């Protein structure tokens, strides 16, 4: 397993015991394309990389937004499972194609860690 692309700074920050300042989409955004950037901490998980081969330990205890695009549902499910394995506090899954009408329209799922599982 390896860290997702673009995670070097985030990994160094977490290793030093720090957390990123929450941005508009939580602490960390997971982006589906090499051609995308967003304000705040973000990592990449393009469909060309098997999401289950990525180690999302860097999101432990944080709020994460996973941005998905396209119809490869299997990749989306694998990506959600890979991020869940990193033990984040919350995960919001947002479809970029639907979000053009607003983030509420693009929100596909919201996963929240249950109380007592911390």
């Amino acid at each position: 397993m390896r860290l997702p692309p673009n995670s070097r700074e985030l990994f160094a920050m977490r290793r030093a015991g720090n957390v990123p300042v929450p941005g508009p989409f939580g602490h960390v955004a997971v982006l589906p394309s090499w051609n995308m950037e967003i304000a705040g901490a973000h990592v990449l998980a393009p469909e060309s990389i098997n999401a289950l081969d990525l180690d999302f330990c860097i999101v432990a205890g944080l709020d994460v937004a996973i941005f998905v695009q396209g119809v490869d549902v299997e990749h989306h499910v694998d990506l959600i499972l890979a991020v869940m394995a990193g033990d984040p506090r919350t995960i919001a899954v947002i479809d970029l194609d639907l979000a053009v009408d607003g983030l509420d329209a693009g929100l596909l799922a919201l996963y929240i860690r249950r109380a007592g599982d911390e």
Side-chain angles (χ1 to χ4, degrees):
M1 293 187 69
R2 63 187 176 115
L3 293 171
N6 195 51
S7 62
R8 182 178 300 183
E9 287 181 38
L10 181 58
F11 181 75
M13 179 184 291
R14 296 305 312 262
R15 192 168 187 194
N18 299 315
V19 297
V21 174
F25 309 107
H27 293 97
V28 179
V30 180
L31 303 177
S33 171
W34 296 94
N35 300 326
M36 297 182 76
E37 272 193 38
I38 194 168
H42 62 278
V43 297
L44 303 172
E47 290 184 14
S48 60
I49 297 175
N50 182 348
L52 295 175
D53 289 340
L54 299 176
D55 182 357
F56 284 92
C57 63
I58 53 177
V59 301
L62 302 179
D63 297 321
V64 178
I66 300 174
F67 290 90
V68 297
Q69 189 171 31
V71 295
D72 187 357
V73 175
E74 183 177 342
H75 176 76
H76 301 338
V77 171
D78 287 350
L79 179 55
I80 293 166
L81 292 173
V83 172
M84 280 184 176
D87 197 28
R89 185 171 65 179
T90 64
I91 300 173
V93 182
I94 302 166
D95 186 318
L96 288 168
D97 295 326
L98 298 175
V100 296
D101 295 327
L103 282 178
D104 289 344
L107 184 65
L108 299 178
L110 181 61
Y111 302 95
I112 301 172
R113 187 187 303 165
R114 293 183 307 199
D117 287 349
E118 298 174 356

